[in-house]
Amino acid sequence: MGQFTTALITCGSILAVILATDSGNRRITTVRTTIPTLVAVLAVAVSVDSFPTAGNDMSLHLAGIGIGAICGLVVSSLLGVHSDGAGDVRSTGGPGHAAVWILLCAGQILFAYGCENWFGARMTRFTADYQLSGSDVLISSLALMSLSMVTARTAVLQSRLRAARAATTPVAEAGPDDTDTDADRSHRQQRGAR
């Protein structure tokens, strides 16, 4: 499978599920946050034939993962999170959030198309100069970038869900007998006497 086809399958499926699950005012649930990650894993597994590891291939893979994580964190910052009157934690994905996801996915697809049709000779020279395994490493790096974008988004939504729940959970008032031990009271009295 070529770069363009792989990017189209991976990015297209990820974009569709992200826009379906994040657009508008939606309740944050574990299922809602993990479905895009599962779709991304499935898309990568179906479309990527190999993960080359020779030469500098691992460096390019790590760069793809890092760039994807940063992009995922940036785009996730555009999701507003709030608690509604019923106590549910919700996120709001507006046009800016959708536009950034569309731009990131379209950029990957366009790059993959360009590698096959516009600047194939330069990419061949680039992979040879930097000791990369040709187009296979570019395909797998783009797929890992997409997967890490979705994983970062899932991590951000899960952490925001936990933080919102913690902020709305009432804390029981503790009396001095509930938390103080004799050693704690003695230590406080000694400090106060000084």
Side-chain angles (χ1 to χ4, degrees):
M1 196 175 305
Q3 289 174 311
F4 176 68
T5 306
T6 300
L8 199 57
I9 291 170
T10 305
C11 291
S13 59
I14 289 172
L15 181 62
V17 76
I18 289 290
L19 293 180
T21 59
D22 284 355
S23 295
N25 188 6
R26 307 238 181 208
R27 190 169 152 242
I28 301 176
T29 63
T30 302
V31 172
R32 182 188 143 212
T33 59
T34 55
I35 285 176
T37 304
L38 295 175
V39 168
V41 168
L42 184 64
V44 169
V46 166
S47 60
V48 176
D49 297 329
S50 67
F51 283 96
T53 58
N56 291 320
D57 294 351
M58 291 305 292
S59 297
L60 189 61
H61 287 151
L62 291 174
I65 290 169
I67 291 169
I70 290 168
C71 291
L73 293 172
V74 168
V75 74
S76 294
S77 70
L78 299 174
L79 280 176
V81 175
H82 61 279
S83 293
D84 63 7
D88 291 331
V89 180
R90 303 180 84 68
S91 68
T92 305
H97 177 261
V100 173
W101 272 105
I102 291 168
L103 180 70
L104 289 170
C105 290
Q108 284 188 26
I109 292 169
L110 190 63
F111 176 76
Y113 181 82
C115 286
E116 285 186 358
N117 298 295
W118 298 330
F119 41 87
R122 283 183 270 178
M123 289 311 296
T124 302
R125 189 172 47 251
F126 172 81
T127 57
D129 289 347
Y130 290 97
Q131 299 175 0
L132 299 169
S133 298
S135 66
D136 285 346
V137 72
L138 297 174
I139 291 169
S140 58
S141 294
L142 284 175
L144 288 172
M145 179 180 166
S146 297
L147 181 59
S148 66
M149 281 173 29
V150 175
T151 304
R153 168 233 175 239
T154 300
V156 167
L157 279 178
Q158 284 293 327
S159 70
R160 287 184 173 178
L161 175 63
R162 279 190 225 96
R165 283 184 179 161
T168 59
T169 302
V171 178
E173 296 265 340
D177 293 337
D178 294 340
T179 58
D180 282 348
T181 63
D182 290 333
D184 290 337
R185 282 191 292 274
S186 168
H187 182 65
R188 261 197 320 278
Q189 289 172 352
Q190 286 176 356
R191 280 192 315 190
R194 290 183 195 166

